Coordinates of all heavy atoms in Angstrom, one line a residue:
M101 N -49.6 -77.5 -69.0 CA -49.5 -76.5 -70.0 C -48.2 -76.6 -70.8 O -47.1 -76.7 -70.2 CB -49.7 -75.2 -69.5 CG -51.1 -74.9 -69.0 SD -51.3 -73.1 -69.1 CE -53.1 -73.0 -68.9
A102 N -48.3 -76.4 -72.2 CA -47.2 -76.5 -72.9 C -46.6 -75.2 -73.3 O -45.6 -75.2 -74.1 CB -47.5 -77.4 -74.2
G103 N -47.2 -74.2 -72.8 CA -46.7 -72.8 -73.2 C -47.3 -72.3 -74.4 O -46.9 -71.3 -74.9
N104 N -48.2 -72.9 -75.0 CA -48.9 -72.5 -76.2 C -49.8 -71.2 -76.0 O -50.4 -71.2 -74.9 CB -49.8 -73.6 -76.9 CG -48.9 -74.8 -77.3 OD1 -47.8 -74.7 -77.6 ND2 -49.6 -75.9 -77.2
T105 N -49.8 -70.4 -76.9 CA -50.6 -69.1 -76.7 C -51.4 -69.0 -78.1 O -51.0 -69.5 -79.1 CB -49.8 -67.9 -76.4 OG1 -48.9 -67.6 -77.5 CG2 -49.0 -68.0 -75.2
S106 N -52.4 -68.1 -77.9 CA -53.1 -67.8 -79.1 C -53.8 -66.4 -78.9 O -53.9 -66.0 -77.8 CB -54.2 -68.9 -79.3 OG -55.5 -68.5 -79.2
T107 N -54.1 -65.8 -80.1 CA -54.7 -64.5 -80.0 C -56.0 -64.5 -80.8 O -56.1 -65.2 -81.9 CB -53.7 -63.4 -80.7 OG1 -52.4 -63.5 -79.9 CG2 -54.3 -62.1 -80.6
A108 N -57.0 -63.8 -80.4 CA -58.2 -63.7 -81.1 C -58.7 -62.3 -81.0 O -58.4 -61.6 -80.0 CB -59.3 -64.7 -80.4
T109 N -59.4 -61.9 -82.0 CA -60.1 -60.6 -82.0 C -61.6 -60.7 -82.2 O -62.0 -61.7 -82.7 CB -59.5 -59.6 -83.0 OG1 -59.7 -60.2 -84.3 CG2 -57.9 -59.4 -82.9
F110 N -62.3 -59.7 -81.8 CA -63.8 -59.6 -82.1 C -64.1 -58.2 -82.2 O -63.5 -57.3 -81.8 CB -64.6 -60.4 -81.0 CG -64.5 -59.7 -79.7 CD1 -65.5 -58.8 -79.3 CD2 -63.5 -60.1 -78.8 CE1 -65.4 -58.2 -78.1 CE2 -63.5 -59.4 -77.6 CZ -64.4 -58.5 -77.1
T111 N -65.2 -58.0 -82.9 CA -65.8 -56.6 -83.2 C -67.2 -56.7 -82.6 O -68.0 -57.6 -82.7 CB -65.9 -56.5 -84.7 OG1 -64.6 -56.6 -85.3 CG2 -66.4 -55.0 -85.0
F112 N -67.6 -55.5 -82.0 CA -68.9 -55.3 -81.6 C -69.4 -53.8 -82.0 O -68.5 -53.0 -82.1 CB -69.0 -55.5 -80.1 CG -68.3 -54.6 -79.2 CD1 -68.8 -53.5 -78.7 CD2 -67.0 -55.0 -78.8 CE1 -68.1 -52.7 -77.9 CE2 -66.2 -54.1 -78.1 CZ -66.8 -52.9 -77.6
Q113 N -70.6 -53.7 -82.1 CA -71.1 -52.4 -82.4 C -72.1 -51.8 -81.3 O -72.8 -52.6 -80.7 CB -72.0 -52.5 -83.7 CG -72.5 -51.2 -84.2 CD -73.3 -51.4 -85.5 OE1 -73.2 -52.4 -86.1 NE2 -73.8 -50.4 -86.0
V114 N -71.9 -50.6 -80.9 CA -72.7 -50.0 -79.9 C -73.5 -48.9 -80.7 O -72.9 -48.1 -81.4 CB -71.9 -49.4 -78.9 CG1 -72.7 -48.6 -77.8 CG2 -71.0 -50.4 -78.1
S115 N -74.8 -48.8 -80.4 CA -75.7 -47.9 -80.9 C -75.9 -46.8 -79.9 O -76.3 -47.0 -78.8 CB -77.0 -48.4 -81.3 OG -76.8 -49.4 -82.4
V116 N -75.6 -45.5 -80.3 CA -75.8 -44.4 -79.5 C -77.2 -43.8 -80.0 O -77.3 -43.4 -81.1 CB -74.7 -43.4 -79.5 CG1 -75.0 -42.1 -78.7 CG2 -73.4 -43.9 -79.1
T117 N -78.1 -43.6 -79.1 CA -79.4 -43.0 -79.4 C -79.7 -41.8 -78.6 O -79.1 -41.6 -77.5 CB -80.6 -44.0 -79.2 OG1 -80.6 -44.3 -77.8 CG2 -80.4 -45.3 -79.9
Y118 N -80.5 -41.0 -79.1 CA -80.9 -39.7 -78.3 C -81.6 -40.2 -77.0 O -81.2 -39.6 -76.0 CB -81.9 -39.0 -79.1 CG -81.3 -38.3 -80.3 CD1 -81.3 -38.8 -81.5 CD2 -80.7 -37.0 -80.2 CE1 -80.8 -38.3 -82.7 CE2 -80.1 -36.4 -81.3 CZ -80.2 -37.0 -82.5 OH -79.6 -36.4 -83.6
D119 N -82.5 -41.2 -77.0 CA -83.1 -41.6 -75.7 C -82.1 -42.2 -74.8 O -82.3 -42.0 -73.6 CB -84.2 -42.6 -76.0 CG -85.4 -41.9 -76.7 OD1 -85.6 -40.7 -76.6 OD2 -86.1 -42.7 -77.4
G120 N -81.1 -42.9 -75.3 CA -80.1 -43.6 -74.5 C -79.3 -42.4 -73.8 O -78.9 -42.7 -72.6
V121 N -78.9 -41.4 -74.5 CA -78.1 -40.3 -73.9 C -78.9 -39.6 -72.9 O -78.4 -39.3 -71.7 CB -77.5 -39.4 -74.9 CG1 -76.8 -38.2 -74.3 CG2 -76.6 -40.1 -76.0
C122 N -80.2 -39.5 -73.1 CA -81.0 -38.7 -72.1 C -81.2 -39.6 -70.8 O -81.2 -39.0 -69.8 CB -82.5 -38.5 -72.7 SG -82.5 -37.0 -73.7
E123 N -81.3 -40.9 -71.0 CA -81.3 -41.7 -69.8 C -80.0 -41.6 -69.0 O -80.1 -41.6 -67.8 CB -81.6 -43.2 -70.2 CG -81.6 -44.2 -69.0 CD -82.7 -43.9 -68.0 OE1 -83.8 -43.4 -68.4 OE2 -82.5 -44.1 -66.9
L124 N -78.9 -41.6 -69.7 CA -77.7 -41.4 -69.0 C -77.6 -40.0 -68.3 O -77.2 -39.9 -67.1 CB -76.5 -41.5 -70.0 CG -75.1 -41.6 -69.4 CD1 -75.0 -42.8 -68.5 CD2 -74.1 -41.7 -70.5
I125 N -78.1 -39.0 -68.9 CA -78.2 -37.6 -68.3 C -79.0 -37.7 -67.0 O -78.5 -37.2 -66.0 CB -78.8 -36.6 -69.3 CG1 -77.8 -36.4 -70.5 CG2 -79.2 -35.3 -68.6 CD1 -78.4 -35.6 -71.6
R126 N -80.1 -38.4 -67.1 CA -81.0 -38.4 -65.9 C -80.3 -39.2 -64.8 O -80.6 -39.0 -63.6 CB -82.3 -39.1 -66.3 CG -83.1 -38.2 -67.2 CD -84.5 -38.8 -67.5 NE -85.1 -38.3 -68.7 CZ -85.5 -37.0 -68.8 NH1 -85.4 -36.1 -67.8 NH2 -86.0 -36.6 -70.0
Q127 N -79.4 -40.2 -65.1 CA -78.6 -40.9 -64.0 C -77.6 -39.9 -63.5 O -77.4 -39.9 -62.3 CB -78.1 -42.1 -64.6 CG -79.2 -43.2 -64.9 CD -78.6 -44.4 -65.5 OE1 -77.4 -44.7 -65.3 NE2 -79.3 -45.1 -66.2
F128 N -76.9 -39.1 -64.3 CA -75.8 -38.3 -64.0 C -76.3 -37.1 -63.1 O -75.7 -36.8 -62.1 CB -75.1 -37.7 -65.2 CG -74.2 -38.7 -65.9 CD1 -73.7 -38.3 -67.1 CD2 -73.8 -39.9 -65.5 CE1 -72.8 -39.2 -67.8 CE2 -73.1 -40.8 -66.1 CZ -72.5 -40.4 -67.3
I129 N -77.6 -36.6 -63.5 CA -78.0 -35.5 -62.8 C -79.3 -35.8 -62.1 O -80.3 -35.1 -62.3 CB -78.2 -34.2 -63.7 CG1 -77.0 -34.1 -64.7 CG2 -78.5 -33.0 -63.0 CD1 -77.2 -33.0 -65.7
A130 N -79.4 -36.8 -61.3 CA -80.6 -37.4 -60.6 C -81.1 -36.3 -59.7 O -82.3 -36.2 -59.4 CB -80.3 -38.6 -60.0
D131 N -80.2 -35.4 -59.1 CA -80.6 -34.5 -58.0 C -81.2 -33.2 -58.6 O -81.6 -32.4 -57.8 CB -79.5 -34.2 -57.1 CG -78.4 -33.5 -57.7 OD1 -78.1 -33.6 -59.0 OD2 -77.6 -32.7 -57.0
D132 N -81.2 -33.0 -59.9 CA -81.8 -31.8 -60.5 C -82.4 -32.1 -61.8 O -81.7 -32.0 -62.9 CB -80.7 -30.7 -60.7 CG -81.2 -29.3 -60.9 OD1 -82.3 -29.2 -61.6 OD2 -80.5 -28.4 -60.6
Q133 N -83.6 -32.5 -61.8 CA -84.3 -32.9 -63.0 C -84.6 -31.8 -64.0 O -84.8 -32.0 -65.2 CB -85.6 -33.7 -62.7 CG -85.3 -35.1 -62.2 CD -84.4 -36.0 -63.1 OE1 -84.8 -36.2 -64.2 NE2 -83.2 -36.3 -62.7
E134 N -84.6 -30.6 -63.4 CA -84.8 -29.4 -64.3 C -83.7 -29.3 -65.3 O -84.0 -29.1 -66.4 CB -85.1 -28.1 -63.5 CG -85.4 -27.0 -64.3 CD -85.7 -25.8 -63.5 OE1 -86.0 -25.8 -62.3 OE2 -85.6 -24.6 -64.0
I135 N -82.5 -29.4 -64.8 CA -81.3 -29.4 -65.7 C -81.3 -30.5 -66.6 O -81.0 -30.4 -67.9 CB -80.0 -29.2 -64.9 CG1 -80.0 -27.8 -64.3 CG2 -78.7 -29.4 -65.8 CD1 -78.9 -27.6 -63.3
A136 N -81.5 -31.7 -66.1 CA -81.6 -32.9 -66.9 C -82.7 -32.7 -68.0 O -82.4 -33.1 -69.2 CB -81.9 -34.1 -66.1
N137 N -83.8 -32.3 -67.7 CA -84.9 -32.1 -68.7 C -84.4 -31.1 -69.7 O -84.7 -31.2 -70.9 CB -86.2 -31.6 -68.0 CG -86.8 -32.7 -67.2 OD1 -86.5 -33.9 -67.4 ND2 -87.7 -32.4 -66.3
G138 N -83.7 -30.0 -69.4 CA -83.3 -29.0 -70.3 C -82.3 -29.6 -71.3 O -82.4 -29.4 -72.5
L139 N -81.4 -30.5 -70.8 CA -80.4 -31.1 -71.6 C -81.1 -32.1 -72.6 O -80.8 -32.1 -73.8 CB -79.3 -31.8 -70.8 CG -78.3 -30.9 -70.1 CD1 -77.6 -31.7 -69.1 CD2 -77.4 -30.3 -71.2
C140 N -82.0 -32.9 -72.1 CA -82.7 -33.8 -72.9 C -83.6 -33.1 -74.0 O -83.6 -33.5 -75.1 CB -83.6 -34.7 -72.1 SG -82.6 -36.0 -71.2
S141 N -84.2 -32.0 -73.6 CA -84.9 -31.2 -74.6 C -84.1 -30.9 -75.7 O -84.6 -30.9 -76.9 CB -85.6 -30.1 -73.8 OG -86.3 -29.3 -74.8
K142 N -82.9 -30.3 -75.5 CA -82.1 -30.0 -76.5 C -81.7 -31.1 -77.4 O -81.7 -31.0 -78.7 CB -80.7 -29.3 -76.0 CG -81.0 -28.0 -75.5 CD -79.7 -27.5 -74.8 CE -79.9 -26.1 -74.1 NZ -80.8 -26.0 -72.9
L143 N -81.5 -32.3 -76.9 CA -81.2 -33.5 -77.7 C -82.4 -33.9 -78.5 O -82.3 -34.3 -79.7 CB -80.7 -34.6 -76.8 CG -79.3 -34.6 -76.3 CD1 -79.0 -35.8 -75.4 CD2 -78.3 -34.4 -77.4
L144 N -83.6 -33.9 -77.9 CA -84.7 -34.3 -78.7 C -85.1 -33.4 -79.7 O -85.6 -33.8 -80.7 CB -85.9 -34.6 -77.6 CG -85.6 -35.7 -76.6 CD1 -86.8 -35.8 -75.6 CD2 -85.4 -37.0 -77.3
N145 N -84.9 -32.0 -79.4 CA -85.1 -31.0 -80.6 C -84.2 -31.3 -81.8 O -84.5 -31.2 -82.8 CB -85.1 -29.6 -80.0 CG -86.1 -29.2 -79.2 OD1 -87.3 -29.8 -79.3 ND2 -86.0 -28.3 -78.3
A146 N -82.9 -31.7 -81.4 CA -81.9 -32.0 -82.4 C -82.4 -33.3 -83.3 O -82.3 -33.3 -84.4 CB -80.6 -32.4 -81.9
Q147 N -82.9 -34.3 -82.5 CA -83.4 -35.4 -83.2 C -84.7 -35.1 -84.1 O -84.7 -35.6 -85.2 CB -84.0 -36.4 -82.1 CG -84.5 -37.7 -82.7 CD -85.0 -38.7 -81.7 OE1 -85.5 -38.3 -80.6 NE2 -84.8 -40.0 -81.9
E148 N -85.6 -34.2 -83.7 CA -86.6 -33.8 -84.5 C -86.2 -33.1 -85.7 O -86.7 -33.2 -86.8 CB -87.6 -32.9 -83.6 CG -88.4 -33.8 -82.7 CD -89.2 -34.9 -83.3 OE1 -89.9 -34.7 -84.3 OE2 -89.2 -36.0 -82.8
A149 N -85.2 -32.2 -85.5 CA -84.6 -31.4 -86.7 C -84.0 -32.4 -87.6 O -84.2 -32.3 -88.9 CB -83.6 -30.4 -86.2
E150 N -83.4 -33.5 -87.2 CA -82.7 -34.4 -88.0 C -83.8 -35.2 -88.8 O -83.7 -35.4 -90.0 CB -81.9 -35.5 -87.3 CG -81.3 -36.5 -88.1 CD -80.4 -37.5 -87.2 OE1 -80.5 -37.4 -86.0 OE2 -79.7 -38.2 -87.8
K151 N -85.0 -35.6 -88.1 CA -86.0 -36.3 -88.8 C -86.7 -35.5 -89.9 O -87.1 -35.9 -91.0 CB -87.1 -36.6 -87.8 CG -86.8 -37.8 -86.9 CD -87.9 -38.0 -86.0 CE -87.5 -39.1 -85.0 NZ -88.6 -39.4 -84.0
R152 N -86.6 -34.1 -89.8 CA -87.2 -33.2 -90.8 C -86.2 -33.0 -91.9 O -86.5 -32.3 -92.8 CB -87.5 -31.9 -90.1 CG -88.8 -32.0 -89.2 CD -89.3 -30.6 -88.8 NE -88.2 -29.7 -88.4 CZ -87.8 -29.5 -87.1 NH1 -88.3 -30.3 -86.1 NH2 -86.8 -28.7 -86.8
G153 N -84.9 -33.3 -91.7 CA -83.9 -33.2 -92.6 C -83.2 -31.8 -92.5 O -82.5 -31.3 -93.4
N154 N -83.4 -31.2 -91.5 CA -82.9 -29.8 -91.2 C -81.6 -30.0 -90.4 O -81.6 -29.9 -89.1 CB -83.9 -29.0 -90.4 CG -83.5 -27.5 -90.4 OD1 -82.3 -27.2 -90.5 ND2 -84.4 -26.6 -90.1
L155 N -80.5 -30.3 -91.1 CA -79.3 -30.6 -90.4 C -78.6 -29.3 -89.7 O -77.9 -29.5 -88.7 CB -78.3 -31.2 -91.4 CG -78.8 -32.6 -92.0 CD1 -77.7 -33.1 -92.9 CD2 -79.1 -33.5 -90.8
K156 N -78.9 -28.2 -90.3 CA -78.3 -27.0 -89.6 C -79.0 -26.8 -88.3 O -78.4 -26.4 -87.3 CB -78.6 -25.7 -90.6 CG -78.0 -24.5 -90.1 CD -78.1 -23.4 -91.1 CE -77.4 -22.2 -90.5 NZ -76.9 -21.3 -91.5
A157 N -80.4 -26.9 -88.1 CA -81.0 -26.9 -86.9 C -80.5 -28.0 -85.9 O -80.4 -27.7 -84.8 CB -82.5 -27.0 -87.1
K158 N -80.3 -29.1 -86.5 CA -79.8 -30.2 -85.6 C -78.4 -29.8 -85.0 O -78.2 -29.9 -83.8 CB -79.6 -31.5 -86.4 CG -78.9 -32.6 -85.6 CD -78.5 -33.8 -86.6 CE -77.6 -34.7 -85.6 NZ -77.2 -35.8 -86.5
E159 N -77.6 -29.2 -85.9 CA -76.2 -28.8 -85.4 C -76.3 -27.8 -84.4 O -75.7 -27.8 -83.4 CB -75.4 -28.3 -86.6 CG -75.0 -29.5 -87.5 CD -74.2 -29.0 -88.7 OE1 -73.7 -27.8 -88.7 OE2 -74.1 -29.8 -89.7
G160 N -77.3 -26.8 -84.6 CA -77.5 -25.7 -83.6 C -77.9 -26.3 -82.3 O -77.4 -25.8 -81.2
M161 N -78.8 -27.2 -82.3 CA -79.3 -27.8 -81.0 C -78.2 -28.6 -80.3 O -78.0 -28.5 -79.1 CB -80.6 -28.6 -81.2 CG -81.8 -27.8 -81.6 SD -82.1 -26.5 -80.5 CE -82.4 -27.1 -79.0
L162 N -77.4 -29.4 -81.0 CA -76.3 -30.1 -80.4 C -75.2 -29.1 -79.9 O -74.6 -29.4 -78.7 CB -75.7 -31.0 -81.5 CG -76.5 -32.3 -81.8 CD1 -75.8 -33.1 -82.9 CD2 -76.8 -33.1 -80.5
H163 N -75.1 -28.0 -80.6 CA -74.1 -27.0 -80.1 C -74.6 -26.4 -78.7 O -73.9 -26.3 -77.8 CB -74.0 -25.9 -81.2 CG -72.9 -24.9 -80.7 ND1 -71.6 -25.1 -80.7 CD2 -73.2 -23.6 -80.3 CE1 -70.9 -24.0 -80.3 NE2 -71.8 -23.1 -80.1
A164 N -76.0 -26.1 -78.7 CA -76.5 -25.6 -77.5 C -76.4 -26.7 -76.3 O -76.2 -26.3 -75.2 CB -78.0 -25.3 -77.7
F165 N -76.6 -28.0 -76.6 CA -76.5 -29.1 -75.7 C -75.0 -29.1 -75.2 O -74.8 -29.2 -73.9 CB -76.8 -30.4 -76.4 CG -76.4 -31.6 -75.6 CD1 -77.3 -32.0 -74.5 CD2 -75.3 -32.3 -75.8 CE1 -76.9 -33.1 -73.8 CE2 -74.9 -33.4 -75.1 CZ -75.8 -33.9 -74.0
L166 N -74.1 -28.9 -76.1 CA -72.7 -29.0 -75.6 C -72.3 -27.8 -74.7 O -71.6 -28.0 -73.8 CB -71.7 -29.1 -76.9 CG -71.8 -30.4 -77.7 CD1 -71.0 -30.4 -78.9 CD2 -71.5 -31.6 -76.8
N167 N -72.8 -26.6 -75.1 CA -72.7 -25.6 -74.2 C -73.2 -25.8 -72.9 O -72.6 -25.4 -71.8 CB -73.2 -24.2 -74.8 CG -72.5 -23.7 -76.0 OD1 -71.3 -24.0 -76.2 ND2 -73.1 -22.9 -76.9
E168 N -74.3 -26.3 -72.8 CA -74.9 -26.6 -71.4 C -74.2 -27.6 -70.6 O -73.9 -27.5 -69.4 CB -76.4 -26.9 -71.6 CG -77.1 -27.3 -70.2 CD -77.3 -26.0 -69.4 OE1 -77.2 -24.9 -69.9 OE2 -77.5 -26.1 -68.2
V169 N -73.7 -28.6 -71.3 CA -72.9 -29.6 -70.7 C -71.6 -29.0 -70.2 O -71.3 -29.3 -69.0 CB -72.5 -30.8 -71.6 CG1 -71.5 -31.7 -71.1 CG2 -73.8 -31.6 -72.0
N170 N -71.0 -28.2 -70.9 CA -69.7 -27.4 -70.5 C -70.0 -26.6 -69.3 O -69.2 -26.5 -68.3 CB -69.2 -26.6 -71.6 CG -68.4 -27.4 -72.6 OD1 -67.9 -28.5 -72.3 ND2 -68.5 -27.0 -73.9
A171 N -71.2 -25.9 -69.2 CA -71.6 -25.1 -68.0 C -71.9 -25.8 -66.8 O -71.6 -25.3 -65.8 CB -72.9 -24.3 -68.5
Q172 N -72.4 -27.1 -66.9 CA -72.7 -28.0 -65.8 C -71.5 -28.8 -65.4 O -71.5 -29.4 -64.3 CB -73.9 -28.8 -66.1 CG -75.1 -28.0 -66.4 CD -75.4 -27.1 -65.1 OE1 -75.2 -27.4 -64.1 NE2 -76.1 -26.0 -65.5
S173 N -70.4 -28.9 -66.2 CA -69.3 -29.7 -65.9 C -68.6 -29.1 -64.6 O -68.2 -27.9 -64.5 CB -68.2 -29.6 -67.0 OG -67.1 -30.4 -66.7
G174 N -68.4 -30.0 -63.6 CA -67.9 -29.7 -62.3 C -68.8 -29.1 -61.3 O -68.5 -28.8 -60.3
K175 N -70.1 -28.9 -61.7 CA -71.2 -28.4 -60.9 C -72.3 -29.5 -60.7 O -72.2 -30.2 -59.7 CB -71.7 -27.2 -61.6 CG -70.8 -26.0 -61.8 CD -71.4 -24.9 -62.5 CE -70.3 -23.9 -62.8 NZ -70.6 -23.0 -63.9
K176 N -73.2 -29.7 -61.7 CA -74.2 -30.7 -61.5 C -73.8 -32.0 -62.0 O -74.5 -33.0 -61.8 CB -75.5 -30.2 -62.2 CG -76.1 -29.1 -61.7 CD -76.7 -29.4 -60.2 CE -77.4 -28.2 -59.7 NZ -78.0 -28.6 -58.3
M177 N -72.7 -32.1 -62.7 CA -72.1 -33.3 -63.1 C -70.6 -33.2 -63.0 O -70.0 -32.2 -63.0 CB -72.5 -33.6 -64.6 CG -72.0 -32.8 -65.7 SD -72.5 -33.2 -67.3 CE -74.1 -32.5 -67.4
T178 N -69.9 -34.4 -62.9 CA -68.5 -34.4 -62.9 C -67.9 -34.1 -64.2 O -68.5 -34.2 -65.3 CB -67.9 -35.8 -62.4 OG1 -68.2 -36.8 -63.4 CG2 -68.6 -36.1 -61.0
T179 N -66.6 -33.6 -64.2 CA -66.0 -33.5 -65.5 C -66.0 -34.7 -66.3 O -66.0 -34.6 -67.5 CB -64.6 -32.9 -65.3 OG1 -63.8 -33.7 -64.5 CG2 -64.7 -31.5 -64.6
E180 N -65.7 -35.8 -65.7 CA -65.7 -37.1 -66.4 C -67.1 -37.3 -67.1 O -67.1 -37.8 -68.2 CB -65.4 -38.2 -65.5 CG -64.0 -38.1 -64.9 CD -63.7 -37.3 -63.8 OE1 -64.7 -36.8 -63.1 OE2 -62.6 -37.0 -63.5
Q181 N -68.3 -37.1 -66.4 CA -69.5 -37.3 -66.9 C -69.7 -36.3 -68.1 O -70.3 -36.8 -69.1 CB -70.6 -37.1 -65.9 CG -70.6 -38.2 -64.8 CD -71.4 -37.8 -63.6 OE1 -71.6 -36.6 -63.2 NE2 -72.0 -38.9 -63.0
A182 N -69.3 -35.1 -68.0 CA -69.4 -34.2 -69.0 C -68.6 -34.6 -70.3 O -69.2 -34.5 -71.4 CB -68.9 -32.8 -68.6
Q183 N -67.5 -35.2 -70.1 CA -66.7 -35.7 -71.3 C -67.4 -36.9 -71.9 O -67.4 -36.9 -73.2 CB -65.3 -36.1 -70.7 CG -64.4 -35.0 -70.3 CD -64.0 -34.0 -71.5 OE1 -64.0 -34.4 -72.6 NE2 -64.1 -32.8 -71.2
I184 N -68.1 -37.7 -71.1 CA -68.8 -38.9 -71.7 C -69.9 -38.3 -72.6 O -70.1 -38.8 -73.7 CB -69.3 -39.7 -70.6 CG1 -68.2 -40.6 -70.0 CG2 -70.2 -40.7 -71.2 CD1 -68.4 -41.3 -68.7
L185 N -70.6 -37.4 -72.0 CA -71.8 -36.9 -72.8 C -71.4 -36.1 -74.0 O -71.9 -36.3 -75.1 CB -72.6 -35.9 -71.9 CG -73.3 -36.6 -70.8 CD1 -74.1 -35.5 -69.9 CD2 -74.4 -37.5 -71.2
K186 N -70.3 -35.4 -74.0 CA -69.8 -34.8 -75.1 C -69.3 -35.7 -76.3 O -69.6 -35.5 -77.4 CB -68.6 -33.8 -74.8 CG -69.1 -32.5 -74.1 CD -68.0 -31.5 -73.9 CE -67.1 -31.8 -72.9 NZ -66.1 -30.7 -72.6
K187 N -68.7 -36.8 -75.8 CA -68.2 -37.9 -76.7 C -69.4 -38.5 -77.4 O -69.4 -38.7 -78.6 CB -67.4 -38.9 -76.0 CG -66.9 -40.0 -76.8 CD -65.6 -39.6 -77.5 CE -64.9 -40.8 -78.1 NZ -63.7 -40.4 -78.8
L188 N -70.4 -38.9 -76.6 CA -71.6 -39.5 -77.2 C -72.4 -38.6 -78.1 O -72.9 -39.1 -79.1 CB -72.6 -39.9 -76.0 CG -72.1 -41.1 -75.1 CD1 -73.0 -41.4 -74.0 CD2 -71.8 -42.4 -75.9
A189 N -72.4 -37.3 -77.9 CA -73.1 -36.4 -78.7 C -72.5 -36.4 -80.1 O -73.3 -36.1 -81.1 CB -73.1 -35.0 -78.1
G190 N -71.3 -36.6 -80.2 CA -70.5 -36.7 -81.4 C -70.9 -37.8 -82.3 O -70.8 -37.8 -83.5
Y191 N -71.6 -38.8 -81.7 CA -72.1 -40.0 -82.5 C -73.6 -39.8 -82.9 O -74.1 -40.6 -83.6 CB -72.0 -41.3 -81.7 CG -70.6 -41.7 -81.5 CD1 -69.9 -41.5 -80.2 CD2 -69.8 -42.2 -82.6 CE1 -68.6 -41.8 -80.1 CE2 -68.5 -42.6 -82.4 CZ -67.9 -42.4 -81.1 OH -66.5 -42.7 -81.0
L192 N -74.3 -38.7 -82.5 CA -75.6 -38.6 -82.8 C -75.9 -37.9 -84.2 O -75.0 -37.2 -84.7 CB -76.4 -37.7 -81.7 CG -76.4 -38.4 -80.4 CD1 -77.0 -37.4 -79.3 CD2 -77.3 -39.6 -80.4

């Protein structure tokens, strides 16, 4: 080796979807599907509101979702898992 170095960069795109976040919720809360279903229901209602063009309803459902995530943080999910879900919800 002659000590030569080089640098490269690359870009990738990750798509966050309602269904994908729901799948993650079901993995995080595998032991309580009632809570997982409630969280997913809020997300899917937000998605339906978005499809109808009702952004105020979407925001309301996402707010309800975040409140429930906060309530379950440290209980049915770890604080780290809750942080991940809150971050992902910001991309929906």
Side-chain angles (χ1 to χ4, degrees):
M101 291 208 163
N104 296 331
T105 62
S106 115
T107 303
T109 61
F110 64 94
T111 303
F112 63 94
Q113 182 177 352
V114 176
S115 295
V116 177
T117 65
Y118 291 94
D119 290 335
V121 176
C122 278
E123 180 58 34
L124 192 58
I125 290 166
R126 292 184 199 294
Q127 291 176 24
F128 285 170
I129 311 177
D131 66 331
D132 194 331
Q133 287 304 300
E134 186 175 337
I135 291 174
N137 289 340
L139 285 165
C140 286
S141 177
K142 289 173 180 66
L143 284 182
L144 296 177
N145 286 336
Q147 181 182 34
E148 288 302 315
E150 181 180 10
K151 286 179 183 177
R152 292 189 313 271
N154 189 341
L155 298 183
K156 187 169 183 156
K158 174 190 172 187
E159 289 175 19
M161 291 311 301
L162 288 177
H163 184 72
F165 170 79
L166 293 173
N167 284 342
E168 182 67 18
V169 169
N170 284 330
Q172 297 304 327
S173 179
K175 296 174 187 160
K176 292 294 182 177
M177 68 180 80
T178 67
T179 55
E180 293 82 10
Q181 290 169 330
Q183 290 298 322
I184 290 167
L185 293 177
K186 290 190 284 188
K187 181 80 166 178
L188 291 173
Y191 292 105
L192 295 173

